[in-house]
Amino acid sequence: MLVVRELSISATNAEAAMRGLTDKAKYARLQKDVSAVKNDIAALTEQITDALNAFAGQASTQARRGYRQARDNMDSTLDDMSERGSAMMGAAQDAASTIEETLEDVITQRPLATVGLALGLGFLIGMTWRR
């Protein structure tokens, strides 16, 4: 019986030793797997950071380009408006000059009609203000 008991104790010790070896091997494999996952996460983080930095750089470049285009468009619009304003001012001055010359001609050719017209307009304006 002693021999059987020793054999059963030896078998139990062997099983415990085997279990310990397999547990250590599993633990080592798990550590390697966790380490690999950590490395993968670090690599992905680096790739995402690089992608975000590239995206930010592109967005900044596009924003600068858009700002330049808007500024150029604004300058062009202001130049165009300035030219149109100058042209309109010149046309208004020409029209005023033409009206002035026409009035001078009418006054010199028909002085009595001009005085009568001025008196009539003055009377109408006075009547309008009176009411």
Side-chain angles (χ1 to χ4, degrees):
M1 210 50 154
L2 189 58
V3 173
V4 173
R5 192 178 249 200
E6 285 180 18
L7 284 176
S8 71
I9 292 175
S10 308
T12 307
N13 288 341
E15 284 177 21
M18 287 298 282
R19 204 175 304 133
L21 288 175
T22 57
D23 286 345
K24 286 181 184 179
K26 285 180 184 177
Y27 181 75
R29 196 170 353 126
L30 283 175
Q31 277 186 325
K32 286 180 184 179
D33 289 345
V34 168
S35 178
V37 168
K38 284 182 181 180
N39 291 337
D40 289 345
I41 289 173
L44 285 173
T45 302
E46 187 176 327
Q47 289 176 351
I48 289 171
T49 301
D50 291 344
L52 288 175
N53 287 337
F55 176 74
Q58 288 175 352
S60 176
T61 301
Q62 288 177 350
R64 276 190 230 113
R65 187 178 305 131
Y67 172 75
R68 273 189 240 118
Q69 286 177 347
R71 188 181 64 211
D72 291 344
N73 288 343
M74 180 64 86
D75 291 343
S76 174
T77 302
L78 287 176
D79 290 343
D80 187 42
M81 290 175 67
S82 176
E83 288 175 13
R84 287 183 184 183
S86 295
M88 290 175 67
M89 185 65 144
Q93 287 176 345
D94 290 345
S97 176
T98 302
I99 290 172
E100 181 184 357
E101 290 173 3
T102 303
L103 283 175
E104 284 180 12
D105 290 343
V106 170
I107 290 172
T108 55
Q109 290 176 1
R110 298 184 185 150
L112 290 177
T114 305
V115 170
L117 182 64
L119 285 174
L121 284 173
F123 179 75
L124 287 174
I125 291 172
M127 291 299 285
T128 304
W129 272 9
R130 199 174 211 188
R131 290 183 183 189

